[in-house]
């Protein structure tokens, strides 16, 4: 599976042009992309800078010598490159296994072009087949949000740390509810519905924004556009 992620990351390099401001997603596939990007920038002397979506992607980009810039300091993000946990035929997504979905959504939705890196098992007929929809919530409000999820007929778990006792705290200082609604018939409606619950910062449903998915295979890549 690692090779498939690497193939997706390598193929997406063709999207990058000199002078671009890049949105830098989070996760292992994006990490492969960043490594290839740094090599290409060195070889071709490209002037690039990146808006990171997490502490993880900021650290990695810094290690690789990719110049970072804050979202508030740029007028435009030319191209965002990010990973996903599920994608469907409409190129709608579930993201947030790594807990970075809020900053990812801000940067991805702000970008002029959004490129998603994936691999075969992430391609689903209907979102909700395999992974929960993570929702970042204010610590103050998590139980109230959870009650709203109950009302909507969903199930939820407060995400627990693995190398820490107690809940996962996001880069923004919030908590995560991993929610399940079964197969999601209308991802856009659910994204909007979740967004209006008081105390919700944002969900891992990403609808209507992806331009292209590079889905890595054993020996290459499937390129899927709208
Ligand atoms: C982090 C994300 C990641 O992009 C997503 O989980 C994919 O990760 P990976 O490339 O490691 O499979 O949404 O919040």
């Amino acid at each position: 599976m690692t090779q498939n992620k690497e193939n997706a990351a390598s193929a997406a390099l063709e999207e990058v042009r000199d002078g671009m401001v890049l949105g830098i997603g989070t996760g292992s596939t994006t990490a492969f992309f960043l490594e290839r990007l740094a090599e290409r920038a060195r070889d071709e002397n490209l002037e690039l800078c990146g808006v990171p979506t997490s502490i993880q992607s900021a650290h990695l980009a810094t290690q690789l010598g990719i110049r970072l810039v804050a979202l508030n300091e740029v007028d435009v993000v030319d191209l965002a490159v990010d990973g996903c946990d599920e994608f469907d035929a409409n190129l709608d997504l579930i993201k947030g296994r790594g807990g970075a979905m809020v900053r990812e959504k801000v940067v991805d939705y702000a970008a002029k072009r959004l490129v998603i890196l994936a691999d075969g098992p992430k391609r689903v007929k209907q979102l909700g087949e395999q992974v929960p929809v993570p929702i970042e919530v204010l610590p103050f409000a998590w139980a109230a949000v959870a009650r709203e999820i109950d009302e909507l007929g969903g199930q939820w778990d407060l995400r627990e740390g693995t190398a820490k006792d107690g809940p996962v705290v996001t880069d923004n200082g919030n908590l995560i509810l991993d929610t399940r609604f079964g197969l999601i018939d209308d991802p856009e409606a659910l994204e909007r519905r979740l967004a209006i619950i008081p105390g919700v910062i944002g969900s891992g449903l990403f609808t209507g924004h992806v331009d292209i998915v590079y889905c890595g295979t054993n020996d290459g890549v499937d390129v899927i556009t709208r």
Side-chain angles (χ1 to χ4, degrees), residues 5 25-30 82-85 94-101 104 117 119 122:
K5 291 185 176 191
T26 295
S28 57
T29 322
T30 307
D82 205 348
C84 73
D85 302 310
I94 297 178
K95 287 182 50 55
R97 174 208 50 78
M101 58 281 179
E104 289 174 327
L117 311 177
D119 50 88
K122 294 178 175 179

Side-chain angles (χ1 to χ4, degrees), residues 18-72:
D18 194 18
M20 277 184 161
V21 176
L22 299 171
I24 302 173
T26 295
S28 57
T29 322
T30 307
F32 286 127
F33 175 78
L34 276 185
E35 285 164 11
R36 304 289 176 284
L37 181 72
E39 279 164 20
R40 190 175 150 207
R42 255 193 320 270
D43 292 349
E44 298 178 25
N45 209 17
L46 301 180
E47 276 283 327
L48 301 169
C49 65
V51 179
T53 54
S54 61
I55 294 172
Q56 184 220 25
S57 61
H59 276 169
L60 183 59
T62 303
Q63 279 168 8
L64 292 168
I66 296 168
R67 188 161 69 85
L68 294 181
V69 64
L71 184 60
N72 287 330

Side-chain angles (χ1 to χ4, degrees), residues 95-119:
K95 287 182 50 55
R97 174 208 50 78
M101 58 281 179
V102 166
R103 291 193 199 184
E104 289 174 327
K105 190 178 285 197
V106 172
V107 173
D108 291 358
Y109 281 22
K112 286 204 296 199
R113 183 166 169 80
L114 175 54
V115 168
I116 293 297
L117 311 177
D119 50 88

